[in-house]
Amino acid sequence: MKKLIAANWKMNKTVPEAVSAAKELKLLIKNSKNAEVAVCPPFTALEAVGKELEKTKIKLGAQNMHFEDSGAYTGDISPLMLKGIGCEYVILGHSERREFFKEDDVLINKKVMSALKNKLTPILCVGETLEQRSSSKAREVIDKQLRNCLDKVNAKQMQNVVIAYEPVWAISRGISNTKPATKEDAEEMHKFIREFLGNIFDSATAKNARIIYGGSVKPENAEELLSMPNINGALVGNASLNAKSFAEIVKAAEN
Ligand code: PEP
């Protein structure tokens, strides 16, 4: 399975800045064969970045969406709109959406179902807080998030879902000296997620599931995290804002 390296630019980059980053990135990774790369700019830059990435293998993704195809939802963006401008991926249930916009598992599940219906691949984020980890509740939290967010998803649909394990305590929130989970801790949780998928779906679905890691991935630590058997890629925030450092992470996934 090719590793998926996805850039989450969050609420950063104006349209010209986003286009220029995409231009730089496509040159830097033009020879990359063994990794799948996706870029998730803010909504305003999706179309322009999509045009810049035309005829490349770099895929386009959004950072959120509404679950309805259209309607009276002021300020929101629908899956049809994303599909219409060439998005293939959509990040759902990011911890920042859960924390700052009070998104819960029920809402995230509606979005997952809607993404699948509209042939968008959800990158479903799950992760525990530091407090939950310190009180040995990490597995319980991930189990509940996955159970709720994947409610009504069947094994066939699961082939088109990416799970991003993003421990909330490891996410940099724009600060560059934060530490990721150790490769052992990340691997342990990824293995747990794969076993969970084996239990609710079947062993083939679990084996083929893409489970990517997110939280302070940088060029310095990408290779060791990506070398772990159950880590199938990375969701990269801060380090993806710079095309060169993101390209180095993509190179680490090629090995
Ligand atoms: C994220 O928020 O999805 C993320 C992985 O952020 P960072 O890489 O900055 O920790």
Side-chain angles (χ1 to χ4, degrees):
M1 168 190 338
K2 271 192 186 181
K3 294 212 162 66
L4 170 66
I5 308 296
N8 175 10
W9 286 351
K10 307 194 180 185
M11 196 176 71
N12 293 292
K13 298 188 190 298
T14 61
V15 176
E17 286 166 352
V19 170
S20 132
K23 197 177 280 206
E24 194 182 349
L25 183 64
K26 77 177 181 191
L27 293 176
L28 287 168
I29 62 168
K30 68 174 187 299
N31 297 323
S32 153
K33 285 194 192 73
N34 299 326
E36 187 178 335
V37 179
V39 174
C40 307
F43 289 133
T44 44
L46 274 173
E47 190 167 20
V49 168
K51 286 212 175 89
E52 187 59 46
L53 297 178
E54 254 168 29
K55 303 199 185 74
T56 75
K57 290 197 182 124
I58 306 175
K59 313 229 164 113
L60 193 64
Q63 299 172 20
N64 182 33
M65 62 172 216
H66 198 279
F67 57 85
E68 292 286 4
D69 290 350
S70 64
Y73 299 102
T74 302
D76 239 317
I77 300 284
S78 87
L80 286 185
M81 296 168 185
L82 298 180
K83 198 72 195 160
I85 51 169
C87 283
E88 292 182 51
Y89 285 98
V90 59
I91 299 172
L92 296 176
H94 191 279
S95 59
E96 287 150 17
R97 301 287 324 162
R98 291 176 189 259
E99 182 179 341
F100 304 132
F101 301 93
K102 304 288 168 252
E103 292 198 9
D104 62 13
D105 288 347
V106 173
L107 175 66
I108 297 161
N109 175 246
K110 285 187 183 164
K111 294 185 180 196
V112 168
M113 296 311 287
S114 166
L116 290 168
K117 184 190 90 179
N118 285 289
K119 308 249 171 320
L120 287 160
T121 299
I123 301 178
L124 169 64
C125 302
V126 293
E128 80 286 357
T129 62
L130 189 56
E131 200 192 343
Q132 290 162 336
R133 172 157 281 258
S134 312
S135 50
S136 307
K137 294 220 171 82
R139 286 171 178 240
E140 196 185 308
V141 169
I142 302 304
D143 182 293
K144 186 161 173 260
Q145 289 177 346
L146 287 173
R147 209 169 281 281
N148 292 338
C149 297
L150 294 174
D151 188 31
K152 299 186 285 291
V153 172
N154 63 36
K156 188 160 183 285
Q157 289 170 316
M158 190 59 214
Q159 292 170 9
N160 293 315
V161 177
V162 174
I163 305 284
Y165 170 60
E166 294 212 304
V168 181
W169 46 272
I171 293 182
S172 77
R173 299 250 166 106
I175 301 160
S176 57
N177 61 359
T178 47
K179 287 204 173 63
T182 62
K183 60 180 193 305
E184 293 81 12
D185 283 345
E187 169 63 17
E188 189 195 322
M189 292 306 286
H190 280 239
K191 192 161 171 280
F192 170 73
I193 293 171
R194 204 174 297 285
E195 282 164 7
F196 171 92
L197 298 174
N199 290 336
I200 61 163
F201 298 106
D202 53 75
S203 56
T205 305
K207 185 167 169 262
N208 295 327
R210 252 178 175 177
I211 308 170
I212 66 175
Y213 169 80
S216 297
V217 177
K218 305 172 204 170
E220 307 87 273
N221 58 38
E223 199 167 332
E224 61 170 30
L225 283 161
L226 292 168
S227 69
M228 302 309 277
N230 283 292
I231 301 186
N232 310 121
L235 180 56
V236 187
N238 206 36
S240 74
L241 293 174
N242 178 295
K244 286 190 192 64
S245 63
F246 186 64
E248 281 181 48
I249 296 170
V250 173
K251 289 210 180 94
E254 297 268 323
N255 302 327

